[in-house]
Amino acid sequence: MKILSRSFLITTIILLALPLTGSAQRLFSKGSTIEDLVPEGWHVTQAQGDLNKDGITDLAMIVIPNDEDQMEVRENGTVFNSNSPILAIYKGLREGGYSLMKLYDDIMEELENEGVSIDRSIEITDRGVLKIFVSYFFTMGGWSVPSATYLFRLQNGDFYLIGKDTDVFSRNTGEAEKVSYNYLTRKCQRILYNAMEDNVKPKEKWSNLPKKPLQRLGTFTISAE
């Protein structure tokens, strides 16, 4: 049996302690708390729950870095942060703390101009479903308010899209449309309604979705549209 040198072991230990490389270079792969995983100054939206149904609490986070190259201070003192959001999913450890399960650093749209604000939230349901919500609000150049909720399930070592709900309404007319996609039953529900007129009766329509393999998280962009 080959005996590892002391210098090799020390180097390995040091490398394991370093942050992740790439655009998420300051996210650590292991830690006991969120503060251990995410550097100070990053914006964090997090959720906890049991994703792999092993009885141990897992952690999912949407984090936005504060790299100075992607941040601009305006004349009025406000800071425009165009850093790309990162989705990081950590497995809860039986001995405590978290270990990185999945990291996605190029699947969410970043802010491109100050005429659009983006709201994001994340949730882990009691059934272990990962839910990601995204909405856009246009302060300039548009009346529509689109939003979308994505539902993912962990299976075969990856997260797959099992459902998606979209909602868009116009702030000037109130006209709106909700669409709910269930990729397990392959059913689609579409509802037309008016967000400003309660006396307008919603119109509902159901349709079948084509049979296709479930989409894997990381293979498409998570947006509000």
Side-chain angles (χ1 to χ4, degrees):
M1 182 179 67
K2 182 182 294 185
I3 300 176
L4 298 176
S5 69
R6 181 181 178 184
S7 61
F8 177 84
L9 290 174
I10 293 175
T11 301
T12 301
I13 293 171
I14 292 174
L15 288 174
L16 289 174
L18 290 174
L20 299 174
T21 58
S23 61
Q25 60 183 347
R26 285 175 287 178
L27 274 178
F28 284 82
S29 60
K30 284 189 177 182
S32 298
T33 65
I34 295 175
E35 290 73 20
D36 293 336
L37 302 169
V38 182
E40 185 177 357
W42 284 26
H43 181 272
V44 181
T45 302
Q46 59 92 16
Q48 298 185 32
D50 190 358
L51 289 167
N52 55 2
K53 299 180 182 180
D54 63 354
I56 303 173
T57 300
D58 305 307
L59 173 67
M61 298 186 295
I62 299 173
V63 295
I64 302 178
N66 60 352
D67 293 339
E68 294 182 356
D69 291 343
Q70 300 298 322
M71 301 179 70
E72 297 181 22
V73 180
R74 302 304 192 222
E75 292 182 358
N76 61 1
T78 60
V79 179
F80 181 71
N81 186 346
S82 61
N83 281 279
S84 297
I86 300 166
L87 173 62
I89 303 173
Y90 288 82
K91 177 183 178 181
L93 303 176
R94 193 166 299 278
E95 63 272 21
Y98 305 97
S99 177
L100 184 69
M101 184 189 305
K102 295 287 182 179
L103 186 142
Y104 309 89
D105 61 359
D106 193 27
I107 64 170
M108 294 186 179
E109 295 178 321
E110 68 273 10
L111 284 175
E112 294 183 352
N113 63 76
E114 294 176 82
V116 183
S117 61
I118 303 177
D119 181 38
R120 304 179 185 88
S121 63
I122 192 167
E123 177 187 351
I124 300 174
T125 71
D126 293 339
R127 294 189 175 184
V129 174
L130 177 67
K131 296 177 67 175
I132 298 176
F133 170 82
V134 184
S135 68
Y136 298 160
F137 186 85
F138 297 90
T139 57
M140 294 182 292
W143 288 100
S144 65
V145 182
S147 65
T149 301
Y150 296 77
L151 291 80
F152 297 94
R153 183 176 67 186
L154 179 63
Q155 60 184 49
N156 302 322
D158 270 306
F159 289 89
Y160 290 88
L161 184 67
I162 61 172
K164 179 183 177 182
D165 299 324
T166 64
D167 192 350
V168 58
F169 77 93
S170 178
R171 288 180 290 149
N172 58 338
T173 65
E175 294 180 351
E177 180 184 51
K178 288 184 179 180
V179 184
S180 180
Y181 303 90
N182 188 321
Y183 299 111
L184 298 179
T185 62
R186 299 195 298 277
K187 297 291 184 180
C188 175
Q189 180 193 39
R190 189 180 304 270
I191 300 176
L192 298 176
Y193 68 102
N194 193 297
M196 298 180 181
E197 301 289 343
D198 294 335
N199 59 338
V200 177
K201 186 178 180 180
K203 297 180 181 179
E204 181 184 33
K205 182 180 180 180
W206 286 86
S207 60
N208 295 321
L209 297 173
K211 187 176 181 179
K212 294 182 179 180
L214 297 177
Q215 290 182 282
R216 181 168 49 85
L217 178 58
T219 62
F220 57 92
T221 301
I222 294 178
S223 70
E225 300 173 338

